[in-house]
mmCIF file of all heavy atoms in Angstrom:
data_model
loop_
_atom_site.group_PDB
_atom_site.id
_atom_site.type_symbol
_atom_site.label_atom_id
_atom_site.label_comp_id
_atom_site.label_asym_id
_atom_site.label_seq_id
_atom_site.Cartn_x
_atom_site.Cartn_y
_atom_site.Cartn_z
ATOM 1 N N GLY A 42 166.324 50.244 -11.541
ATOM 2 C CA GLY A 42 166.632 51.595 -12.013
ATOM 3 C C GLY A 42 168.092 51.927 -12.184
ATOM 4 O O GLY A 42 168.443 53.084 -12.449
ATOM 5 N N GLY A 44 169.970 51.069 -14.556
ATOM 6 C CA GLY A 44 170.290 51.339 -15.963
ATOM 7 C C GLY A 44 170.383 50.111 -16.864
ATOM 8 O O GLY A 44 170.961 50.204 -17.952
ATOM 9 N N LYS A 45 169.797 48.985 -16.452
ATOM 10 C CA LYS A 45 169.908 47.746 -17.248
ATOM 11 C C LYS A 45 169.346 47.923 -18.662
ATOM 12 O O LYS A 45 170.016 47.611 -19.647
ATOM 13 C CB LYS A 45 169.150 46.583 -16.557
ATOM 14 C CG LYS A 45 169.739 46.152 -15.225
ATOM 15 C CD LYS A 45 168.960 45.025 -14.599
ATOM 16 C CE LYS A 45 167.573 45.397 -14.131
ATOM 17 N NZ LYS A 45 167.500 46.474 -13.122
ATOM 18 N N THR A 46 168.103 48.394 -18.751
ATOM 19 C CA THR A 46 167.469 48.500 -20.070
ATOM 20 C C THR A 46 168.239 49.473 -20.957
ATOM 21 O O THR A 46 168.468 49.205 -22.146
ATOM 22 C CB THR A 46 165.998 48.961 -19.919
ATOM 23 O OG1 THR A 46 165.354 48.092 -18.985
ATOM 24 C CG2 THR A 46 165.258 48.914 -21.233
ATOM 25 N N THR A 47 168.663 50.587 -20.376
ATOM 26 C CA THR A 47 169.408 51.601 -21.130
ATOM 27 C C THR A 47 170.730 51.030 -21.634
ATOM 28 O O THR A 47 171.102 51.213 -22.796
ATOM 29 C CB THR A 47 169.685 52.822 -20.217
ATOM 30 O OG1 THR A 47 168.454 53.221 -19.614
ATOM 31 C CG2 THR A 47 170.283 53.974 -20.973
ATOM 32 N N ILE A 49 171.620 47.747 -21.974
ATOM 33 C CA ILE A 49 171.399 46.646 -22.923
ATOM 34 C C ILE A 49 171.052 47.212 -24.305
ATOM 35 O O ILE A 49 171.553 46.756 -25.329
ATOM 36 C CB ILE A 49 170.271 45.710 -22.410
ATOM 37 C CG1 ILE A 49 170.742 44.932 -21.176
ATOM 38 C CG2 ILE A 49 169.813 44.750 -23.502
ATOM 39 C CD1 ILE A 49 169.631 44.202 -20.424
ATOM 40 N N GLU A 66 162.938 39.549 -20.895
ATOM 41 C CA GLU A 66 162.723 40.569 -19.868
ATOM 42 C C GLU A 66 161.983 39.920 -18.704
ATOM 43 O O GLU A 66 160.903 39.357 -18.884
ATOM 44 C CB GLU A 66 161.864 41.715 -20.436
ATOM 45 C CG GLU A 66 162.601 42.620 -21.396
ATOM 46 C CD GLU A 66 163.624 43.501 -20.689
ATOM 47 O OE1 GLU A 66 163.581 43.620 -19.449
ATOM 48 O OE2 GLU A 66 164.471 44.067 -21.396
ATOM 49 N N ASP A 68 160.204 40.727 -15.183
ATOM 50 C CA ASP A 68 159.707 41.808 -14.331
ATOM 51 C C ASP A 68 158.573 41.291 -13.458
ATOM 52 O O ASP A 68 157.870 40.354 -13.823
ATOM 53 C CB ASP A 68 159.155 42.961 -15.195
ATOM 54 C CG ASP A 68 160.270 43.791 -15.810
ATOM 55 O OD1 ASP A 68 160.926 44.538 -15.068
ATOM 56 O OD2 ASP A 68 160.494 43.661 -17.031
ATOM 57 N N ASP A 74 159.735 47.389 -20.385
ATOM 58 C CA ASP A 74 161.069 47.173 -20.945
ATOM 59 C C ASP A 74 161.002 46.309 -22.203
ATOM 60 O O ASP A 74 161.750 46.540 -23.163
ATOM 61 C CB ASP A 74 161.988 46.523 -19.901
ATOM 62 C CG ASP A 74 162.345 47.492 -18.782
ATOM 63 O OD1 ASP A 74 162.043 48.697 -18.932
ATOM 64 O OD2 ASP A 74 162.920 47.052 -17.774
ATOM 65 N N LYS A 77 160.403 48.286 -25.254
ATOM 66 C CA LYS A 77 161.601 48.994 -25.747
ATOM 67 C C LYS A 77 162.478 48.055 -26.573
ATOM 68 O O LYS A 77 163.025 48.438 -27.607
ATOM 69 C CB LYS A 77 162.404 49.559 -24.568
ATOM 70 C CG LYS A 77 161.702 50.730 -23.898
ATOM 71 C CD LYS A 77 162.500 51.235 -22.714
ATOM 72 C CE LYS A 77 161.702 52.285 -21.959
ATOM 73 N NZ LYS A 77 162.190 52.532 -20.605
ATOM 74 N N MET A 78 162.621 46.818 -26.117
ATOM 75 C CA MET A 78 163.440 45.841 -26.846
ATOM 76 C C MET A 78 162.771 45.462 -28.163
ATOM 77 O O MET A 78 163.425 45.349 -29.198
ATOM 78 C CB MET A 78 163.658 44.581 -25.991
ATOM 79 C CG MET A 78 164.443 44.832 -24.744
ATOM 80 S SD MET A 78 166.082 45.506 -25.135
ATOM 81 C CE MET A 78 166.457 46.335 -23.610
ATOM 82 N N GLU A 119 167.400 40.334 -19.005
ATOM 83 C CA GLU A 119 167.358 41.441 -18.050
ATOM 84 C C GLU A 119 166.607 40.917 -16.842
ATOM 85 O O GLU A 119 165.383 40.740 -16.862
ATOM 86 C CB GLU A 119 166.667 42.688 -18.612
ATOM 87 C CG GLU A 119 166.661 43.788 -17.544
ATOM 88 C CD GLU A 119 166.057 45.116 -17.966
ATOM 89 O OE1 GLU A 119 165.887 45.375 -19.164
ATOM 90 O OE2 GLU A 119 165.763 45.917 -17.032
ATOM 91 N N ASN A 120 167.362 40.628 -15.794
ATOM 92 C CA ASN A 120 166.773 39.996 -14.609
ATOM 93 C C ASN A 120 165.928 40.995 -13.820
ATOM 94 O O ASN A 120 165.997 42.206 -14.063
ATOM 95 C CB ASN A 120 167.892 39.432 -13.726
ATOM 96 C CG ASN A 120 167.508 38.127 -13.048
ATOM 97 O OD1 ASN A 120 166.415 38.032 -12.478
ATOM 98 N ND2 ASN A 120 168.380 37.148 -13.106
HETATM 99 MG MG1 MG B 2 164.749 47.762 -17.042
#
Side-chain angles (χ1 to χ4, degrees):
K45 294 180 292 301
T46 308
T47 309
I49 290 168
E66 286 289 345
D68 284 288
D74 290 349
K77 289 178 187 162
M78 296 301 156
E119 180 178 343
N120 216 313

